[in-house]
Amino acid sequence: MIISMMENATEEQIAHVIARVEELGYKPQVTRGEEKTIVAAVGTGRRDELEALSAAPGVERLIPIAHPFKLVARQGRTARTVVSVGGVRIGGEDIVMIAGPCSVESRDQLFQTAHAVRDAGASMLRGGAYKPRTSPYEFQGLGLDALKLLREASDETGLPVVTEVLGTDDVDLVAEYADMLQIGARNMQNFSLLRRVAKCSRPVMLKRGPSATVKEWMLAAEYLIAGGNPNIVLCERGVKSWDPETRNLFDLASLALARQLSHLPVIADPSHGTGRRDLIPVMSRAAIAAGADGIMVEVHPCPERALSDGPQSLEPQQFAELVRDLFTPARKLAAPLPRIAPNSYRTAAERTLGD
Ligand code: PEP
Ligand code: MN
């Protein structure tokens, strides 16, 4: 942290800041310029108290150098983290496809979807048992019955399963049935849930809150790692915007930034990110280009009958096409490479000669 003193700061004020920096466990390094003095607080100490120095007399402002999310930050690390979920590696060389219904609605619906997505190439299954719904009158999920079905479908297909845990009371139960716990967007800053899930041995997918800044998202992940759970995967799922044409603003710049700032794997969820099934293929390609370690999409055997998120759910056949388009080399090569527009610069002589 750099503490920049005001131009008219007195010697006494500077000495006070230096003493306080030492008291808080940092090494002060003082640079006296012609106009002002700056004090660098080097090392680690009581950061929150250091931040309070912005209120000390003679202090102009504090300029942070290191990120406040030390355990999540990529700074100072050579390797990215790979999170293993029931043998599936997220954050390694391969792009992980996670697919399944928004909500588990019945045995038939789940098993049909699980087999279809497995056959199409998915490496993990998703499905909601406890649903965070805007209205209390909407389908809330089948709870424990859904957890049991998810476990059975996972065992039968061999796909590890991720499902959302809504509250602290359900953590042990969900962890008993699921291979990975999802902390949903609406709960990203539910600090008691973060602290509770940090104590759990299952890997966690932490979705970005609908109005969370990237820094808040990183700090939510910091709660999990600081609390004892290092197996965290971030998930960009879009943020609130003003435009009702898309459900959310799928923020791929923040996905790319999250991968720059953090060593954790980052998954993209274009289903919630756009709310529109027609945009999922193109936005999946864009997410991979932006560095996503995987894609999570909603798939339903009959989206028009889905109890939640039908409009953004792919039919199994559409999911198979998506996987084929994303990963089949022949198809990839067949797609034309983008062409660069010809540079129209011509010298004055060329311009007089005309075309
Ligand atoms: C979900 O994955 O079904 C879900 C509810 O997601 P989000 O928390 O991103 O809204
Ligand atoms: Mn959903």
Side-chain angles (χ1 to χ4, degrees):
M1 182 81 77
I2 305 283
I3 303 158
S4 173
M5 303 299 295
M6 288 171 182
E7 277 180 32
N8 60 357
T10 64
E11 279 306 319
E12 202 184 351
Q13 289 168 338
I14 297 170
H16 169 71
V17 166
I18 295 171
R20 190 74 187 122
V21 163
E22 269 180 326
E23 210 174 288
L24 296 173
Y26 298 89
K27 192 168 169 291
Q29 274 177 4
V30 186
T31 310
R32 288 176 187 273
E34 292 215 339
E35 280 160 11
K36 48 169 112 165
T37 296
I38 58 169
V39 180
V42 183
T44 42
R46 282 145 42 204
R47 184 173 170 126
D48 41 359
E49 288 178 66
L50 185 71
E51 281 173 7
L53 273 184
S54 60
V59 171
E60 184 194 49
R61 66 191 172 117
L62 266 60
I63 307 142
I65 302 298
H67 295 302
F69 39 89
K70 291 203 174 338
L71 302 170
V72 164
R74 195 168 170 190
Q75 233 170 23
R77 289 197 179 231
T78 44
R80 300 197 66 84
T81 290
V82 176
V83 174
S84 176
V85 185
V88 172
R89 287 163 51 82
I90 309 182
E93 294 285 295
D94 301 333
I95 303 289
V96 172
M97 294 298 288
I98 307 172
C102 177
S103 308
V104 176
E105 298 167 4
S106 68
R107 165 179 282 273
D108 253 19
Q109 172 247 17
L110 179 65
F111 278 65
Q112 213 180 311
T113 314
H115 279 281
V117 300
R118 199 267 316 263
D119 293 349
S123 16
M124 276 182 67
L125 177 66
R126 62 146 287 145
Y130 299 92
K131 295 305 302 177
R133 304 308 299 278
T134 303
S135 159
Y137 307 115
E138 290 170 328
F139 179 60
Q140 303 287 308
L142 298 179
L144 179 57
D145 288 341
L147 289 179
K148 290 180 177 166
L149 289 171
L150 285 167
R151 183 72 264 140
E152 243 190 90
S154 168
D155 291 343
E156 193 174 297
T157 55
L159 301 178
V161 67
V162 55
T163 193
E164 176 162 355
V165 57
L166 264 188
T168 47
D169 292 348
D170 304 328
V171 174
D172 288 333
L173 187 68
V174 177
E176 194 182 323
Y177 290 93
D179 299 289
M180 182 183 218
L181 268 49
Q182 174 174 315
I183 294 186
R186 293 160 187 82
N187 265 326
M188 190 203 84
Q189 282 190 319
N190 178 340
F191 300 112
S192 25
L193 183 62
L194 292 171
R195 277 196 212 92
R196 180 66 189 77
V197 170
K199 298 266 171 292
C200 165
S201 58
R202 295 284 185 207
V204 180
M205 179 182 292
L206 177 66
K207 290 195 142 193
R208 180 182 178 194
S211 53
T213 63
V214 171
K215 188 170 159 191
E216 286 164 344
W217 189 19
M218 300 297 117
L219 284 167
E222 187 82 6
Y223 265 87
L224 294 167
I225 304 185
N229 194 334
N231 297 310
I232 311 304
V233 174
L234 302 166
C235 177
E236 164 59 41
R237 48 77 75 204
V239 289
K240 286 263 180 233
S241 93
W242 64 93
D243 190 344
E245 297 301 323
T246 49
R247 181 176 176 185
N248 287 297
L249 181 67
F250 192 37
D251 188 0
L252 290 181
S254 290
L255 180 145
L257 181 59
R259 276 189 102 263
Q260 258 181 44
L261 291 174
S262 159
H263 56 87
L264 298 174
V266 188
I267 294 280
D269 173 353
S271 303
H272 294 87
T274 65
R276 296 174 56 136
R277 111 172 39 113
D278 58 340
L279 293 180
I280 289 173
V282 68
M283 294 320 292
S284 300
R285 274 200 297 281
I288 292 172
D293 297 290
I295 304 286
M296 179 157 85
V297 286
E298 290 183 335
V299 179
H300 193 285
C302 183
E304 69 171 87
R305 290 178 187 268
L307 298 183
S308 61
D309 288 349
Q312 67 191 36
S313 298
L314 297 175
E315 289 170 19
Q317 180 55 32
Q318 292 172 320
F319 177 71
E321 279 161 25
L322 171 70
V323 175
R324 211 170 49 225
D325 285 350
L326 289 176
F327 303 109
T328 307
R331 291 288 286 257
K332 243 196 200 159
L333 291 175
L337 280 171
R339 279 176 32 169
I340 188 162
N343 185 326
S344 61
Y345 176 78
R346 286 180 297 167
T347 60
E350 283 167 337
R351 277 200 300 273
T352 9
L353 286 173
D355 289 319

